[in-house]
Amino acid sequence: MNDLRFDRRGLLRGGAAVLGALTPASLLHAQPAAGSTLTIGIPGVPATMDPVNQINHDWMVTTQLIFENLIEFDIDGKLKPQLAAALPTISADGLTYDFTLRPGVTFSNGQPFTAEDVKYSFDYLLNPANRAARRPIFARITAVEVVDPLHVRFTLSEPYAPWLAFMTKCMGIFAKGSREANGPDFFRNAPVGVGTGPAIFEEWRANEYISLRRNPTYWNRGVPAWERLVVRQLPEDATRVAYIRSGQIDIMSSPPPRDFERLKTTNGLQGASRPTLGGWFAFYMDNTKAPFDDVNLRRAVSSAIDRDLIANRVYRGLLDPSAVSAPKSAWWYHAEADRAAGFDLDRAKRFMAASRHAGGAPIEVTIPATPYLLDVRDAALVVQSQLKAIGIDMKIKVMEFGPMIQSIIRGDEPASLWLQMSPGEPTYLLQNVLTPGQIVAKSTNYDSPAFRALLARAFAETDEAKLKPLYAEIQTLLAEDSPMVWIGFAHAANVWRSRVKDFTPNQGLTIDPRPVVLG
C-alpha cells in the first residue's frame, strides 16, 4: 500500500529527472523507418488483441484497425455503417434487426466476408463457455440468423436499442472457423489475417510497441494513407512529452494538463481537445461493505467533493465537472440532480452526522499508477484533503491499471477512483457498473429494482423527447442513493506534429488514425 501524502513538487521534480535521463540512444531505440510510418504514443499496458476481451480503451486503437463491426461510432459520436451497407431495419416491436452487408469485402487473408462470419463471431461472443469479457452487454441477443450471404438477422429477448452503439468499443467481426483453427493465444497475441480492417497485425514487442501494416486489399480504397503504424507504450507523462517534442512520435495521447497549453503552441506541434460524452471520472464504492453500506456516508462523500476545483486546478479544463452520470453538454443531463449531489460542505457535514460514522471513518481508495484518459494521482490528493474536512481519513493505494481493473472486476477493491470510457451514449456505463452480472458491477454491488426498471424503460425507447424525462428520473434516483460518486467527464486531448494532416481528436477518445496523411 502506498499513502500518497507527499509533496507534489517533489513528484514533479522526479518527472523532470525522468525527462533529463532520456538520452538520444534511448529515444531512438527500436524506432521504425521514417516517411510512411505513423507513430503514436499512449499510456497504459496492452493486455490482448482480441476485440471481445479488450478492455483498455487506449489500446483499442490497434484492435479497431484490425477488426471491424457492422456499424460504428464515428469521431463525432454518430452511428454510421461499416461492414453493413446501411443502418439496420428494426421491427416495430424492437426485437428484430436486419442488416444488409457491404459486398466485395474480404478478410486480409483473402477470404470473402459474408453473413456466416457475422453469425460465427456473435455466436462465439455469446457462448458462455468462451468467457468473453464483453458478452454481458450483448446477452439480450437470442439468435443470429443468416438469411443469405449478404443479409443477417438478429433477434433480441427484449427491446434493447443501445446495443448498436456498443459494437465499436466491444466487438469485432472475425473469419468463420478462425477460433478453432488458431486458438486463443493467436487472437490474444498475433491475430494475422482474420480481420477486415485497414491494418494487419505485424509485431508486438513487450513493453515497447505494437506495430501494424496497411492492408493492401482493404475495401475502402486509399485508406489508410500510411504504410505502417507503430503504437508505443509510454506510461510516464514526462516520457510522452519528450517523445513528441523530439519527433519520436507523431501523435500523443493523454497530454499532461499542466503541459497541454504549452505543447499545442510549440513550433512544429499542434493540439486540440473536445469534450467526450462517455469519459466517466468517478469514485466507486462497494455498497455492501462498511463504511460504504451507509447511504448517508456515500451522500456525504458526494457533497464534500469540489468538482470545479478539480476540473480547473488539477485538469486545467480537460475535465467537465458533473455530479451525475451525464456531462453538462449531453442532452440527457439533469441539472437539478447535479445540484442535489454536488459540492456543498455544510450538507456533507449534515449527512456525515446522520451516518453511523459521525465520529469519522477510515477508508482505503485504489487508484491507477499510470494515466488512463487522465492521470488520477493529483485529483486523488485533492479528494483526500476534501474528505478530511468531514472526518473521512482516506488512504490511497496505487496499482498498475491492468491488475487494478482485474481486481475491481473480481470485487476485491472496496473503493476506487478512476476513469473509464463508454461509447458516448447514456446507458452503457450505468448498466456495466450499476446492474448485477455486468463486467464491473462488483465495483459497487448496487442492486436497485427501481433503477433497473427505469433502465429497462430507457432500453425500449428511441424517442429522445421521451427518453429525457426517464434519464432525469434515473439521475434523481442515483443522486438520492449515491451508489457511486461522479466527479466529471474527461476531454479527448491530443498533441501531434505538423507533418500529421487530417487528424481530429475522437469524441469517443480512442485515437482514430485512419484518415491521417503524413506530410
Side-chain angles (χ1 to χ4, degrees):
M1 180 179 71
N2 293 302
D3 186 350
L4 293 190
R5 303 180 193 207
F6 49 67
D7 178 359
R8 193 61 188 166
R9 286 174 294 181
L11 179 63
L12 295 180
R13 286 195 297 270
V18 171
L19 179 58
L22 289 170
T23 65
S26 65
L27 288 174
L28 291 170
H29 177 62
Q31 286 293 326
S36 61
T37 294
L38 174 65
T39 306
I40 297 171
I42 64 176
V45 178
T48 184
M49 298 294 292
D50 191 340
V52 302
N53 289 306
Q54 177 65 272
I55 60 175
N56 187 309
H57 202 88
D58 286 324
W59 285 93
M60 289 177 186
V61 66
T62 55
T63 51
Q64 289 175 5
L65 288 170
I66 296 170
F67 300 98
E68 295 184 301
N69 300 277
L70 296 179
I71 58 177
E72 65 169 330
F73 256 150
D74 68 13
I75 62 170
D76 298 314
K78 305 297 184 185
L79 281 176
K80 68 177 187 179
Q82 193 173 58
L83 289 175
L87 294 178
T89 301
I90 306 172
S91 63
D93 62 5
L95 298 179
T96 303
Y97 289 69
D98 280 78
F99 290 87
T100 298
L101 305 182
R102 190 182 297 275
V105 175
T106 63
F107 290 92
S108 57
N109 64 4
Q111 178 180 327
F113 161 73
T114 73
E116 293 284 354
D117 303 299
V118 178
K119 175 177 171 56
Y120 175 81
S121 300
F122 274 91
D123 284 350
Y124 178 88
L125 168 74
L126 295 169
N127 185 345
N130 295 323
R131 299 181 178 180
R134 297 301 187 178
R135 177 182 173 271
I137 63 169
F138 293 106
R140 291 175 181 84
I141 299 171
T142 58
V144 185
E145 175 188 356
V146 174
V147 179
D148 62 51
L150 292 178
H151 181 184
V152 63
R153 177 174 298 144
F154 291 78
T155 303
L156 276 57
S157 60
E158 59 183 330
Y160 184 53
W163 78 279
L164 296 177
F166 303 157
M167 287 192 196
T168 295
K169 180 180 171 69
C170 307
M171 184 52 185
I173 303 301
F174 33 88
K176 182 180 179 180
S178 57
R179 294 281 174 169
E180 295 81 0
N182 297 290
D185 286 344
F186 173 85
F187 274 84
R188 186 183 303 118
N189 300 322
V192 180
V194 292
T196 62
I200 301 170
F201 176 86
E202 182 181 65
E203 181 183 20
W204 183 345
R205 183 170 292 190
N207 301 315
E208 291 191 37
Y209 63 78
I210 292 174
S211 64
L212 312 176
R213 55 188 171 85
R214 184 177 67 86
N215 179 0
T217 63
Y218 184 49
W219 58 266
N220 191 1
R221 302 304 181 202
V223 176
W226 38 264
E227 291 296 323
R228 189 167 181 246
L229 176 76
V230 175
V231 185
R232 287 199 167 278
Q233 181 182 329
L234 303 174
E236 294 297 328
D237 286 352
T239 306
R240 291 197 309 285
V241 170
Y243 271 56
I244 193 69
R245 288 175 62 87
S246 65
Q248 303 308 303
I249 57 175
D250 298 303
I251 302 174
M252 174 188 184
S253 175
S254 303
R258 63 181 175 271
D259 297 318
F260 182 54
E261 289 299 320
R262 174 175 53 84
L263 285 171
K264 71 181 185 180
T265 58
T266 297
N267 186 40
L269 299 179
Q270 300 177 62
S273 67
R274 60 194 306 197
T276 67
L277 296 176
W280 272 16
F281 181 26
F283 192 129
Y284 300 77
M285 300 174 285
D286 188 337
N287 291 206
T288 66
K289 296 177 182 175
F292 305 112
D293 57 346
D294 187 322
V295 66
N296 282 315
L297 181 132
R298 300 196 303 268
R299 291 167 176 164
V301 170
S302 185
S303 295
I305 295 176
D306 186 343
R307 296 158 178 83
D308 287 338
L309 187 149
I310 292 171
N312 296 323
R313 298 277 187 87
V314 176
Y315 294 122
R316 307 189 188 200
L318 293 183
L319 182 81
D320 286 344
S322 178
V324 293
S325 59
K328 292 180 174 66
S329 58
W331 61 264
W332 62 92
Y333 168 77
H334 188 51
E336 290 183 22
D338 192 355
R339 286 191 291 271
F343 177 59
D344 185 327
L345 189 55
D346 289 337
R347 184 174 64 208
K349 290 177 179 177
R350 291 196 300 272
F351 279 137
M352 197 66 184
S355 76
R356 298 190 302 272
H357 308 277
I363 64 173
E364 183 176 85
V365 179
T366 304
I367 69 168
T370 53
Y372 179 73
L373 315 186
L374 288 170
D375 194 330
V376 172
R377 290 172 291 183
D378 289 335
L381 294 173
V382 174
V383 171
Q384 182 186 62
S385 174
Q386 292 174 346
L387 294 187
K388 191 174 185 63
I390 61 170
I392 295 178
D393 182 20
M394 172 177 156
K395 293 207 170 17
I396 301 172
K397 181 175 74 171
V398 182
M399 292 180 69
E400 290 299 328
F401 183 78
M404 173 182 155
I405 190 62
Q406 292 302 324
S407 184
I408 288 169
I409 288 169
R410 292 193 303 269
D412 293 340
E413 302 301 322
S416 54
L417 186 68
W418 54 292
L419 292 99
Q420 61 174 318
M421 188 70 193
S422 84
E425 65 80 52
T427 69
Y428 175 85
L429 289 177
L430 289 176
Q431 180 181 198
N432 266 344
V433 177
L434 298 175
T435 62
Q438 295 294 322
I439 187 168
V440 287
K442 290 181 180 179
S443 65
T444 65
N445 279 313
Y446 179 64
D447 189 3
S448 165
F451 171 75
R452 292 200 310 273
L454 285 170
L455 204 55
R457 288 169 58 194
F459 289 157
E461 185 56 70
T462 57
D463 185 338
E464 187 175 303
K466 295 178 180 178
L467 279 167
K468 189 165 184 177
L470 274 175
Y471 290 129
E473 285 189 64
I474 288 173
Q475 289 168 57
T476 299
L477 173 64
L478 294 178
E480 181 177 339
D481 287 357
S482 295
M484 59 186 293
V485 172
W486 287 270
I487 295 174
F489 285 74
H491 283 215
N494 299 108
V495 176
W496 59 96
R497 301 198 63 79
S498 56
R499 84 180 192 117
V500 173
K501 313 297 182 185
D502 299 334
F503 174 74
T504 303
N506 186 358
Q507 187 270 346
L509 202 136
T510 300
I511 289 174
D512 183 3
R514 290 174 298 180
V516 169
V517 175
L518 296 174

